[in-house]
Amino acid sequence: AGGSHHARMLVVLPALTWEGQIPGDEDGDGVPDTLDAGVPVGLDRVFAAGLPSGLPDEEAFIAYLNRAHLPYDLTTDGGLIEGDGPSLNAYKGVVFAGSERWLPQSFVSALQAYVQRGGHVLSLGLDSLRRRVTVSGTGVSTRALDPTAPSNPDALDANIGPVIHTGSLILTISDGLGIFTGTSGAFQGFNSYEQITPVSKTVSSAGPSTASSLAIAGYRLGAGTVVELGLPSFGSGLAHSVDAQELVRQLWTVLSR
């Protein structure tokens, strides 16, 4: 269950993305201030315009972990950035449950060092790990500023392409990591995918048989392992896809070693 003192996996929620996309007007000019617009934002803003767009999918992912009794601890990217709560190095594996749309370079460097030393990372968010931002201040005065444009490769050495629609099944291509053990090898119900092309040699992969790009890519990075999963609404899909459920179970086994 979540919060276990013996958990070897840390699940990270994208609070910085949530706050950065709130359409609040902080300077009173009548125009929403968001990081997408390149405008500095405070990181203690309320969700006046409703809950974040990605939250239902992230909630569904957490709900599945609880139903499946997969152990994890829970934090936010903000907590990791500020050093409040769990730290990366206390865990075998780190799971980014949503899109880490912006991250400060200091945290990116810490994440890269974590993987190079043998840590494992699972990234579930689309268009993730591709932008930088400066975070300044502490507590209620914390602000994010100077957001950059997206770049490739992402923070973990994978080139990310657009989400494309496909009429083909997402099929297992290779599985040197063993993450597809227990699945049928075919992921039904996912009609689109984000194109992933790791810089390093892919060890485990899945994608449409008609395309050269991948929807799921697992690869070694230093002494660690990275799995990037580019299936939109994957968390919500866990409610009805047995293969997606088995994939998560096996990822927990492989990445917590």
Side-chain angles (χ1 to χ4, degrees):
S4 167
H5 292 298
H6 304 290
R8 303 179 72 161
M9 299 289 283
L10 179 65
V11 175
V12 183
L13 295 175
L16 188 53
T17 298
W18 297 345
E19 292 284 352
Q21 293 185 321
I22 294 174
D25 180 12
E26 294 189 31
D27 54 16
D29 64 356
V31 178
D33 297 325
T34 67
L35 289 178
D36 281 316
V39 179
V41 301
L43 296 184
D44 63 339
R45 302 190 296 173
V46 298
F47 298 107
L51 295 174
S53 60
L55 186 59
D57 202 51
E58 290 140 14
E59 284 184 327
F61 177 70
I62 296 295
Y64 173 72
L65 297 182
N66 292 337
R67 289 196 308 274
H69 304 290
L70 296 175
Y72 66 93
D73 286 340
L74 187 66
T75 190
T76 67
D77 50 9
L80 289 171
I81 291 164
E82 294 186 7
D84 182 15
S87 66
L88 294 177
N89 295 325
Y91 296 88
K92 290 289 187 178
V94 175
V95 181
F96 293 107
S99 176
E100 293 295 335
R101 196 166 174 83
W102 300 278
L103 288 171
Q105 182 57 48
S106 58
F107 179 75
V108 169
S109 297
L111 178 63
Q112 292 168 337
Y114 165 79
V115 178
Q116 290 286 342
R117 290 194 300 265
H120 309 310
V121 171
L122 169 62
S123 176
L124 300 178
L126 303 182
D127 197 22
S128 191
L129 303 170
R130 301 180 64 205
R131 299 165 179 81
R132 304 291 176 265
V133 71
T134 299
V135 175
S136 65
T138 58
V140 296
S141 63
T142 305
R143 293 180 63 78
L145 55 153
D146 301 327
T148 69
S151 62
N152 271 325
D154 65 13
L156 296 175
D157 279 355
N159 290 302
I160 305 300
V163 173
I164 62 173
H165 295 278
T166 177
S168 303
L169 278 175
I170 304 297
L171 301 173
T172 298
I173 300 169
S174 63
D175 196 18
L177 296 175
I179 61 175
F180 299 117
T181 301
T183 75
S184 70
F187 297 89
Q188 301 186 45
F190 298 99
N191 300 315
S192 60
Y193 72 101
E194 180 181 67
Q195 300 176 84
I196 304 169
T197 308
V199 173
S200 303
K201 180 181 178 181
T202 304
V203 183
S204 287
S205 60
S209 59
T210 56
S212 59
S213 53
L214 302 176
I216 304 172
Y219 52 98
R220 306 289 187 188
L221 195 60
T225 304
V226 177
V227 178
E228 298 211 18
L229 198 154
L231 297 178
S233 301
F234 178 78
S236 300
L238 288 166
H240 55 76
S241 173
V242 173
D243 287 302
Q245 294 170 9
E246 291 301 323
L247 174 60
V248 172
R249 287 177 178 272
Q250 192 62 14
L251 282 165
W252 239 247
T253 298
V254 171
L255 300 183
S256 63
R257 291 171 180 161

